[in-house]
Amino acid sequence: MTEEKTKSKNFTSILIPTSLYKKLEEKVKETEFSSVSSLVTHIIREYLAKLEEEKEVFSEEEEEEIKERLRALGYID
Amino acid sequence: MRVLVIGSDGLSPILVEKWIETLPALRKIKKQGIMGRTIPPLPAQTPVAWTTFMTGVNPGKHGIFSFMTREKGTYKRKVNTPDKIKTKTLWKILSEHDKKVGVINVPMARTEELNGFIIPGFLAKNEGIPYPTKIKEKLQGKFGIKQFKGDVEIKLLERVKEEPDKFFERVDEITDIQMDISLFLLEEEEWDFFITVFMGTDRIQHFFWKYVDERHPEYEKNEFTEKVKRYYQKMDVIISRFLENIDLEETLFILLSDHGFCPVHSEVLVNCLLHKQGFLKGDVKGEIDVEGSVAVAYEYGDVWLNLKGREPQGKIKPEEYGEILQKIKKNLEKIEVDGQKVVKYVATRDVYWGPYVEEAPDLIILFNSGWQASRGKSKEYKTQKCIVKSEKWNGGHDGTHDPRDVPGILAILGHGIPEGLEVEANLYDLTPTILKILQVPIPNYMDGKPIQQIFTS
């Protein structure tokens, strides 16, 4: 598979304001990222990860359910 | 290069060695690759060990010291769930470097935004729910299931003694489903790193260890010996199925477990000892007076002091802390039964390093093989005898034994791997090793080092 074909299969374009792109273009020079695209990919992944992390916090009820399981396994009394 | 990891919770190198002649896949790896041991962190417990594996750091840096912890500034006991892990996972780091990952049923692995997919494991809030959704749809299309929980249901666990056959059957069934799902996703998805962790070995051994370990005073060879052996043979078949499905020229194969097992015949009621030694007192209701005591212990041999300025009703002045700590340690280390030492040593927080050391218990008791901190009777303190027969479990590891007494297994096969080599590695060496194989920079904060023997040729 050629590089172009791989690219078209795995990547897609999004639109962002040119002024924002220019800002990021400047910023990217101070980072380990090689391009604005990889910096933006990183930012989006971080954002999505944060949303998932917020969902991962246990409620009291959910914690009780886990404790029930640990009790059945003999891990706690 | 790609990396495939098969995890088996609690798979014991002792049993592999003992039954190697009946385990053809493992025999092949022993001959053609590396067969060695992993040293778990302290305590050698499933959540601590897998977190150590997946982060490449000691508990002082990832913040998971046990199944349970004391909530800061309170006396409240809380479960340590994956949202409490303070350090990045191996799969997150790989994703950030554009490597494709597949993660199935790793204890303490939770839903994360990855460059790939994850089915969260034991103790995760979304345990068994594939993420992203397209994986859920694929599993539904192929197997008719939306969720996969790789563990035995509570009801069966509670009736293991009454219905052992049902328990073994269910463990087999879950293991088979997990193998099918894993092989399907291995084939279906793109990946540079793929891991699937089976829980059966751990669950079986906690209840049936005395039938396979001659060191156990109640060792008895019977039908259960055969059942445990047959499960090891099943794991061996699974290993061979994965080996058939990868090209060893371009994929490194790693089998590992987070810890092994040792016999457990007696339980120690640590609070009973602390009471007799004057460190713990009861309240008017006859329960442990946590707020009024100097020290209290919990299910894993973890002892927490009641320190002024740290605990809400602290009893010990900071200047007394060190002395009291040493006193408790010395008293516990002295205990003997029939001339045998019960406690191997009592660890202080000094065994850890990193920003979260202060979240660790003040003391962790490491018992000699045969004894463990009582689970079912951890709140009893007024009884005459502080050491009783273990009723529920006969094999252990978790948090009450020296990690070196319960090592896990490490088996590696692939192109350029030295033949017939024995290796011992810390669990936190695995993440840096895998990063190096996949040519991803190893972050400076990591405690582990790549296993050099892999890179010699």
Side-chain angles (χ1 to χ4, degrees):
Chain A
M1 198 182 276
T2 66
E3 199 181 319
E4 276 312 301
K5 274 190 183 163
T6 311
K7 271 192 173 175
S8 61
K9 187 184 158 204
N10 292 330
F11 292 86
T12 188
S13 309
I14 53 169
L15 297 174
I16 60 170
T18 313
S19 56
L20 185 59
Y21 182 86
K22 289 208 162 130
K23 270 189 197 164
L24 287 170
E25 209 171 24
E26 278 308 306
K27 282 280 168 212
V28 88
K29 291 175 193 160
E30 302 160 15
T31 71
E32 60 185 276
F33 298 98
S34 55
S35 64
V36 172
S37 292
S38 48
L39 175 60
V40 170
T41 303
H42 171 77
I43 293 167
I44 294 171
R45 276 200 187 129
E46 284 299 302
Y47 170 72
L48 291 170
K50 207 164 171 281
L51 292 184
E52 286 309 317
E53 277 159 25
E54 280 162 11
K55 276 195 246 161
E56 276 287 326
V57 178
F58 284 70
S59 66
E60 290 282 325
E61 202 175 292
E62 285 162 338
E63 177 143 343
E64 270 316 304
E65 276 172 32
I66 287 237
K67 281 186 181 166
E68 270 312 303
R69 178 123 164 257
L70 293 178
R71 265 180 216 118
L73 282 163
Y75 285 122
I76 59 172
D77 63 359
Chain B
M1 201 67 190
R2 308 202 289 178
V3 177
L4 166 65
V5 178
I6 304 298
S8 181
D9 199 290
L11 187 89
S12 160
I14 298 169
L15 294 188
V16 168
E17 213 165 285
K18 183 171 163 173
W19 294 328
I20 192 80
E21 289 311 315
T22 67
L23 307 169
L26 283 161
R27 208 167 59 232
K28 177 184 165 181
I29 299 176
K30 191 179 177 186
K31 202 173 163 211
Q32 297 177 6
I34 289 174
M35 181 66 85
R37 294 181 173 203
T38 54
I39 303 301
L42 193 161
Q45 248 181 44
T46 292
V48 189
W50 285 111
T51 306
T52 300
F53 155 75
M54 69 172 84
T55 58
V57 298
N58 88 96
K61 290 185 186 172
H62 62 58
I64 304 295
F65 295 92
S66 179
F67 269 106
M68 307 281 286
T69 189
R70 178 181 271 187
E71 200 172 41
K72 221 176 174 179
T74 72
Y75 297 102
K76 204 173 163 197
R77 198 79 169 145
K78 294 270 287 180
V79 180
N80 260 329
T81 42
D83 53 302
K84 314 271 190 339
I85 301 173
K86 313 286 199 309
T87 329
K88 273 185 192 171
T89 58
L90 165 63
W91 24 99
K92 184 74 182 170
I93 298 170
L94 290 171
S95 295
E96 287 173 355
H97 286 83
D98 290 325
K99 299 289 181 190
K100 282 265 182 192
V101 299
V103 181
I104 301 174
N105 203 41
V106 183
M108 295 297 275
R110 64 188 173 114
T111 315
E112 283 190 274
E113 193 57 41
L114 299 171
N115 185 24
F117 72 90
I118 183 158
I119 304 179
F122 182 45
L123 297 172
K125 180 169 167 167
N126 296 324
E127 182 182 354
I129 303 172
Y131 185 83
T133 315
K134 71 161 189 171
I135 299 296
K136 202 191 285 181
E137 286 158 7
K138 278 187 183 182
L139 291 188
Q140 193 162 20
K142 176 78 181 173
F143 302 100
I145 52 170
K146 282 187 200 166
Q147 189 176 5
F148 169 71
K149 270 196 188 182
D151 205 355
V152 181
E153 294 78 4
I154 291 180
K155 276 186 184 164
L156 270 176
L157 289 169
E158 286 170 341
R159 297 191 53 79
V160 173
K161 288 222 165 109
E162 292 81 8
E163 297 176 305
D165 290 346
K166 267 194 187 168
F167 169 75
F168 275 101
E169 271 168 35
R170 185 65 183 140
V171 175
D172 275 356
E173 205 171 57
I174 293 167
T175 307
D176 288 338
I177 300 169
Q178 185 170 345
M179 179 182 71
D180 291 343
I181 287 175
S182 302
L183 285 170
F184 169 69
L185 292 172
L186 189 85
E187 180 67 28
E188 187 81 5
E189 295 302 298
E190 274 182 56
W191 54 272
D192 298 293
F193 171 81
F194 192 103
I195 181 168
T196 179
V197 176
F198 294 85
M199 300 300 289
T201 30
D202 183 84
R203 303 312 188 225
I204 289 172
Q205 289 168 166
H206 273 301
F207 298 110
F208 298 96
W209 186 256
K210 72 173 178 185
Y211 305 106
V212 293
D213 188 343
E214 288 89 344
R215 297 172 299 170
H216 200 294
E218 291 161 31
Y219 169 72
E220 187 192 346
K221 196 174 172 183
N222 61 16
E223 59 178 308
F224 297 125
T225 318
E226 282 311 303
K227 279 183 190 286
V228 181
K229 188 175 176 182
R230 210 182 41 75
Y231 191 77
Y232 268 68
Q233 289 166 339
K234 187 180 193 67
M235 284 308 300
D236 191 75
V237 170
I238 290 174
I239 292 162
S240 68
R241 291 286 305 278
F242 278 97
L243 287 173
E244 283 162 18
N245 279 276
I246 55 168
D247 176 0
L248 284 169
E249 286 295 311
E250 53 135 45
T251 303
L252 189 78
F253 175 87
I254 301 176
L255 166 77
L256 68 90
S257 58
D258 54 334
H259 56 75
F261 271 73
C262 69
V264 166
H265 52 70
S266 303
E267 291 198 336
V268 180
L269 280 58
V270 183
N271 282 325
C272 170
L273 294 170
L274 292 175
H275 183 241
K276 284 196 190 331
Q277 293 162 0
F279 297 109
L280 180 139
K281 61 182 212 176
D283 63 15
V284 283
K285 284 189 262 166
E287 289 170 3
I288 295 172
D289 180 4
V290 180
E291 294 178 7
S293 296
V294 168
V296 172
Y298 295 92
E299 310 88 343
Y300 297 99
D302 49 328
V303 180
W304 299 74
L305 267 55
N306 198 7
L307 184 64
K308 272 190 180 159
R310 188 183 71 179
E311 270 76 26
Q313 306 294 326
K315 289 279 167 276
I316 316 164
K317 291 183 199 140
E319 57 270 27
E320 298 169 324
Y321 178 81
E323 197 189 320
I324 292 175
L325 208 67
Q326 289 307 319
K327 241 187 221 172
I328 297 175
K329 181 175 151 73
K330 253 192 196 166
N331 283 346
L332 291 170
E333 286 173 347
K334 274 198 299 213
I335 301 161
E336 287 186 7
V337 171
D338 301 331
Q340 280 183 290
K341 280 189 107 48
V342 172
V343 173
K344 191 167 184 181
Y345 65 95
V346 179
T348 63
R349 288 172 169 178
D350 295 344
V351 293
Y352 303 117
W353 61 97
Y356 304 105
V357 171
E358 293 197 347
E359 294 181 20
D362 294 299
L363 293 167
I364 305 164
I365 310 168
L366 284 312
F367 293 94
N368 275 317
S369 168
W371 286 276
Q372 75 169 15
S374 177
R375 303 288 149 77
K377 298 187 173 84
S378 71
K379 286 176 190 150
E380 291 184 19
Y381 69 95
K382 286 191 290 191
T383 44
Q384 189 66 27
K385 286 176 79 180
C386 295
I387 300 179
V388 297
K389 191 178 177 311
S390 172
E391 284 159 14
K392 184 148 186 155
W393 284 3
N394 55 59
H397 57 85
D398 44 355
T400 56
H401 299 105
D402 184 343
R404 291 208 160 260
D405 292 342
V406 287
I409 199 162
L410 177 65
I412 306 173
L413 191 64
H415 181 71
I417 293 298
E419 286 185 13
L421 197 70
E422 270 189 44
V423 162
E424 186 180 280
N426 284 309
L427 259 187
Y428 57 48
D429 292 330
L430 269 302
T431 276
T433 301
I434 293 163
L435 289 175
K436 186 167 176 179
I437 294 163
L438 296 173
Q439 296 181 316
V440 169
I442 300 164
N444 290 334
Y445 66 80
M446 278 193 185
D447 295 320
K449 299 273 174 287
I451 302 166
Q452 284 311 322
Q453 289 93 330
I454 293 181
F455 304 98
T456 48
S457 49

